[in-house]
Amino acid sequence: MIGCLLIHGFTGAPYEVEPLANYFRHYTNWIVSSPTLPGHGEHDSLRGITFQQWIDTAEAHLQHLLDQCDTVYLIGFSMGGVLAGYLATKYQVDKLVLLSAAIHYIHPIQMLKDIGGMVTDLCRGRLRRNELFIRYSHKVKRTPFVASLEFRKLVQHLKPSFENVLTPTIILQGKLDGMVPYKTADRIYELIRSNEKQIRLMENSKHLICHGEDRDEVIDAVYHFLIGKRVENH
């Protein structure tokens, strides 16, 4: 039996990786787990939540899959990618997928371009139709400052573990990502010590790589990597 754990990002929810999870549920007989981390989701609050709780929750779901399955794949998006990289050093997982993994964050140049786009849409009366504004404006209002500090502590705490990653790994990163600089993918590639590792840069993708223009290409690349077919490097 094959199991697949998908871990979402900071202030996000399973919808961030839902296109992948739904594809696996539809086209495979894998056990697919996509939990909501503590403090996340529509009605939860990040106030009072510690980064250790995010680690513990992701770890518990991975342990549950390992108890049920002979083969386990681990997929992490953004902060979930940091968690996945760490867990791959602690447990025997078969393959690791890192999507926009946030070992570095906030790409100032792309962020300025995105803000410029919002200003243009504001002037033209179209701000509420701007995709980034829709996705992130409510997050800013709902995210306590202390929660952002917990996110930063998690990255600082877990980033060194990437040097111990030996699991076959694919790294996917959007070139238009305003949250995680796209060259972070190269840094992760250099850090991990797996003998089987590759990078795919998505030319038209922003941070939410599973929901961008390259969505079908992302799904195809991840699926073929997991089932053992070689994915062309970029």
Side-chain angles (χ1 to χ4, degrees):
M1 179 64 70
I2 294 175
C4 183
L5 176 63
L6 301 97
I7 310 172
H8 67 76
F10 177 60
T11 73
Y15 78 85
E16 294 177 323
V17 290
E18 193 172 49
L20 269 175
N22 286 344
Y23 184 90
F24 298 150
R25 290 183 179 117
H26 189 269
Y27 291 104
T28 75
N29 61 354
W30 302 350
I31 298 175
V32 178
S33 175
S34 184
T36 301
L37 298 176
H40 293 75
E42 285 298 318
H43 304 294
D44 290 333
S45 171
L46 285 162
R47 195 171 304 280
I49 302 295
T50 67
F51 77 87
Q52 189 61 50
Q53 290 175 266
W54 301 330
I55 296 172
D56 292 343
T57 298
E59 188 168 3
H61 282 273
L62 177 58
Q63 289 172 334
H64 185 64
L65 275 185
L66 288 167
D67 288 340
Q68 299 178 81
C69 303
D70 303 314
T71 299
V72 172
Y73 303 140
L74 187 52
I75 299 174
F77 165 74
S78 195
M79 181 183 79
V82 182
L83 288 164
Y86 162 72
L87 292 173
T89 68
K90 192 172 178 181
Y91 295 91
Q92 182 61 49
V93 298
D94 294 270
K95 291 192 178 180
L96 173 65
V97 178
L98 301 175
L99 307 170
S100 313
I103 66 165
H104 299 299
Y105 37 86
I106 304 300
H107 187 320
I109 295 175
Q110 185 60 46
M111 183 65 77
L112 285 173
K113 290 180 181 178
D114 291 340
I115 291 172
M118 290 185 197
V119 171
T120 299
D121 284 343
L122 174 63
C123 294
R124 295 176 179 175
R126 303 186 314 209
L127 181 61
R128 295 194 177 278
R129 296 198 298 272
N130 183 286
E131 179 186 0
L132 287 178
F133 177 80
I134 293 169
R135 290 191 182 276
Y136 290 112
S137 60
H138 75 286
K139 288 188 177 186
V140 172
K141 296 174 185 176
R142 292 182 55 202
T143 305
F145 178 69
V146 289
S148 298
L149 292 180
E150 289 298 313
F151 163 67
R152 291 174 181 268
K153 285 193 283 187
L154 179 138
V155 173
Q156 292 169 359
H157 186 65
L158 299 187
K159 178 181 172 181
S161 65
F162 274 66
E163 296 182 8
N164 299 316
V165 172
L166 302 175
T167 308
T169 303
I170 188 169
I171 305 156
L172 287 91
Q173 176 67 46
K175 286 200 73 173
L176 303 181
D177 192 335
M179 302 298 292
V180 175
Y182 76 87
K183 291 187 178 179
T184 301
D186 294 322
R187 180 59 179 147
I188 293 173
Y189 186 90
E190 293 167 0
L191 278 175
I192 65 177
R193 294 192 293 127
S194 172
N195 291 325
E196 184 183 342
K197 55 185 178 179
Q198 51 187 297
I199 297 176
R200 287 293 300 269
L201 292 179
M202 299 292 124
E203 296 291 331
N204 304 302
S205 293
K206 295 183 184 291
H207 188 55
L208 285 165
I209 195 168
C210 292
H211 291 270
E213 291 184 32
D214 304 312
R215 165 182 162 165
D216 291 342
E217 188 178 349
V218 169
I219 293 172
D220 186 69
V222 171
Y223 176 68
H224 283 92
F225 170 73
L226 294 179
I227 65 173
K229 294 185 178 180
R230 182 66 183 175
V231 181
E232 182 184 349
N233 283 344
H234 284 255

